[in-house]
Amino acid sequence: MPEGDSVYKAAAKLRAALDGQILTRTDFRVPAFATLDLSGHTVTSAVPRGKHLLIRVAEGTDGTTADAADTPAPANASDPGSGLTIHSHLKMEGVWQIYSAGERWRKPSYLARGVLSTATKTAVGFELGLLEVVPTASEESIVGHLGPDLLGPDWDAELALANLLSDPARPVALALLDQRNLAGLGNVFANELSFLRGVRPHTPIGEIADPKRLVALAFKAIMVNKDRPIRNLTGLPRGKPRYWVHGRRGEACLRCGTRIESDQLGTGPTDTRYMWWCPSCQK
Ligand SMILES: [Zn+2]
């Protein structure tokens, strides 16, 4: 399941393939942007913000638009005032894949939501939960509500802690999942961090001992995993479980052998999550 570490890796992959390149073809397979054509635009960056991915493009950096002597200089590619942002959210199954020109796609074409081609590479966003194009200047309307980003330059552990504790009755897993508190954690991290801190996902966040350590652990866990090709919270070698509890209902706890339990947690259809825990290791 894509979480902040997945989005971080996706952004790095997109930057490596597209940064500084001119788009030769774009295809947005969502009704609102089906007729939009960004060919001729230059990709200026791909930035992860929590679980949101922002691909920024700018016009007029390839010299083709500045044809008259009295035409103002092309806007700086990094100037957010003139650019557009291709905003995507991976949600449950989304992924961006990079292909060389002419290479066969590894996923069926009907799952593609966004296609961005340069002379040599094509980036295809499959099964994106959300795809839209907005002025870069209004990115704040998309990501402005996010709390400090665990993998971003704005990371602020103290602010994240204060946000988490602002609603002390909230179950710890739901507090960690709330992107307004801190950005980047999804269900896997919420479950695994609860296990690693020895608390059940349902425990009110205000009742856990030393919540500062929870925030420090969240940072450490996602930092380590941002550079791993496959997320692994146990540190066990390939073939062994990579999660302590997530998705392991009925299996033996790797620490004590007790059967892992699971349940739903949440208050409504949009806030319901599956939680897993060891009834012995987590109190
Ligand atoms: Zn256990």
Side-chain angles (χ1 to χ4, degrees):
M1 184 181 295
E3 306 205 5
D5 52 347
S6 323
V7 179
Y8 183 92
K9 278 179 271 200
K13 203 164 66 174
L14 287 161
R15 279 197 303 276
L18 305 180
D19 227 9
Q21 303 297 310
I22 296 164
L23 294 171
T24 53
R25 173 179 166 248
T26 65
D27 185 1
F28 299 97
R29 300 182 183 177
V30 289
F33 300 97
T35 59
L36 180 66
D37 179 5
L38 296 182
S39 55
H41 283 62
T42 299
V43 177
T44 59
S45 60
V47 181
R49 283 287 290 128
K51 296 198 279 178
H52 300 256
L53 185 54
L54 309 171
I55 303 170
R56 296 178 185 143
V57 301
E59 233 180 337
T61 54
D62 61 349
T64 55
T65 54
D67 51 358
D70 58 351
T71 303
N76 185 321
S78 61
D79 172 11
S82 65
L84 293 171
T85 294
I86 302 161
H87 168 225
S88 61
H89 195 294
L90 305 180
K91 295 278 168 78
M92 302 298 275
E93 307 288 343
V95 63
W96 280 94
Q97 294 182 341
I98 309 293
Y99 296 97
S100 297
E103 189 182 347
R104 195 187 165 95
W105 293 358
R106 295 185 293 279
K107 280 179 173 281
S109 171
Y110 70 86
L111 295 177
R113 292 290 169 272
V115 183
L116 307 173
S117 294
T118 69
T120 56
K121 300 281 183 193
T122 292
V124 188
F126 294 98
E127 296 185 85
L128 304 174
L130 187 154
L131 179 66
E132 64 178 352
V133 181
V134 300
T136 300
S138 37
E139 274 181 9
E140 275 304 290
S141 66
I142 298 164
V143 293
H145 68 288
L146 296 176
D149 184 347
L150 282 153
L151 292 171
D154 66 320
W155 174 239
D156 180 338
E158 279 182 30
L159 178 58
L161 179 63
N163 292 344
L164 285 167
L165 295 177
S166 66
D167 184 359
R170 198 119 188 254
V172 60
L174 295 185
L176 289 172
L177 284 167
D178 189 334
Q179 305 296 302
R180 294 169 298 184
N181 289 336
L182 72 176
L185 301 177
N187 216 26
V188 173
F189 279 104
N191 279 283
E192 296 291 291
L193 292 168
S194 299
F195 175 86
L196 289 166
R197 287 298 295 127
V199 299
R200 295 198 184 185
H202 333 69
T203 307
I205 186 127
E207 289 178 18
I208 69 170
D210 202 356
K212 202 173 169 179
R213 280 185 63 195
L214 178 69
V215 175
L217 190 64
F219 179 71
K220 191 178 160 196
I222 204 163
M223 281 303 273
V224 166
N225 277 286
K226 80 179 183 5
D227 297 321
R228 283 188 177 139
I230 296 173
R231 187 186 302 127
N232 185 330
L233 273 297
T234 60
L236 293 171
R238 220 172 139 184
K240 304 273 186 191
R242 55 199 179 102
Y243 299 143
W244 294 101
V245 291
H246 188 270
R248 300 191 63 239
R249 181 192 174 101
E251 293 178 40
C253 172
L254 298 169
R255 203 173 263 169
C256 75
T258 307
R259 278 181 191 281
I260 303 296
E261 294 184 0
S262 77
D263 198 2
Q264 286 182 30
L265 179 64
T267 52
T270 58
D271 198 23
T272 303
R273 303 295 191 128
Y274 273 98
M275 294 295 147
W276 294 264
W277 68 94
C278 169
S280 171
C281 291
Q282 293 168 263
K283 303 294 181 193

